């Protein structure tokens, strides 16, 4: 399978709609309203101006998921955060690992070019999300243990997550 990452664009809103299902969003509080989804799409389009990138994941040219990195503050430190989605029909075929490796290569390139960039990438999958926790381990992250993670940021809703960390330098 040919896996590629392409920067998020206006044309990827339909992919975001396909991700917004009870099954796909079960670990992060469920589907979002149409207005929330449009707000999320706009945030994704604006990530490059904030030091991040949302990518659409393509498998043999077909939209198959998403993966991102962006800057945020975490426990008094500036870090990069990552998160991903893989549509059900593409799960179990190594797509998430391939996309994760491509995203890590892109992020490491950005970090190498910017000495002021954060040096750590974190992922915060729900403790019950076995697939995402396993992906973190396969990509070389270290599990720093459980944490209360606000998602979405500013919502006041906290998920019981694991804090996975990966040095970028």
């Amino acid at each position: 399978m040919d896996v590629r990452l392409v920067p998020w664009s206006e044309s990827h809103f339909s992919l975001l709609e396909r991700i917004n299902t009870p099954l796909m969003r079960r670990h992060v509080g469920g589907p979002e309203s149409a207005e929330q989804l449009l707000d999320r799409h706009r945030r994704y389009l604006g990530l490059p101006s904030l030091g991040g990138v949302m990518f659409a994941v393509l498998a043999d040219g077909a939209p198959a998921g998403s993966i991102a990195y962006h800057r945020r503050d975490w426990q008094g430190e500036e870090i990069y955060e990552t998160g991903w989605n893989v549509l059900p029909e593409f799960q179990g075929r190594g797509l998430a690992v391939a996309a994760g490796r491509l995203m890590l290569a892109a992020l490491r390139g950005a970090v190498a070019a910017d000495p002021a960039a954060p040096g750590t990438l974190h992922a915060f999958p729900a403790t019950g999300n076995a697939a995402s926790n396993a992906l973190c381990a396969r990509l070389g992250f270290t599990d720093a243990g459980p944490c209360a993670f606000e998602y979405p940021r500013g919502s006041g809703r906290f998920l019981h997550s694991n804090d996975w960390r990966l040095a970028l330098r």
Side-chain angles (χ1 to χ4, degrees):
M1 176 172 29
D2 175 45
V3 178
R4 289 186 301 121
L5 304 182
V6 296
W8 200 260
S9 69
E10 286 291 343
S11 68
H12 293 119
F13 185 72
S14 60
L15 174 58
L16 192 56
E17 290 176 310
R18 290 180 61 201
I19 291 168
N20 192 45
T21 67
L23 175 66
M24 291 290 298
R25 303 227 2 118
R26 70 188 176 281
H27 295 291
V28 293
E32 295 177 306
S33 70
E35 181 179 318
Q36 290 170 317
L37 206 60
L38 187 55
D39 286 345
R40 177 173 297 283
H41 178 62
R42 289 180 184 136
R43 285 194 309 275
Y44 289 173
L45 291 170
L47 276 179
S49 68
L50 302 172
V53 182
M54 172 59 76
F55 296 102
V57 178
L58 304 181
D60 294 330
S66 64
I67 192 165
Y69 66 83
H70 62 91
R71 292 179 186 218
R72 73 166 296 147
D73 291 324
W74 175 249
Q75 299 178 340
E77 174 187 3
E78 187 180 31
I79 64 163
Y80 283 104
E81 176 189 349
T82 187
W84 49 82
N85 295 282
V86 175
L87 294 171
E89 61 268 30
F90 293 96
Q91 292 175 6
R93 298 179 7 195
L95 181 71
V97 172
R101 288 180 179 148
L102 290 170
M103 182 274 302
L104 284 171
L107 177 54
R108 284 189 168 119
V111 168
D114 181 3
T120 308
L121 176 66
H122 291 240
F124 299 97
T127 55
N129 187 337
S132 284
N133 282 284
L135 176 61
C136 289
R138 286 201 60 195
L139 291 174
F141 285 73
T142 300
D143 187 358
C147 66
F149 183 72
E150 186 179 26
Y151 184 85
R153 191 175 356 180
S155 68
R157 186 174 47 124
F158 289 82
L159 304 176
H160 189 60
S161 298
N162 287 317
D163 180 1
W164 290 88
R165 301 171 183 199
L166 180 69
L168 297 169
R169 293 188 175 93

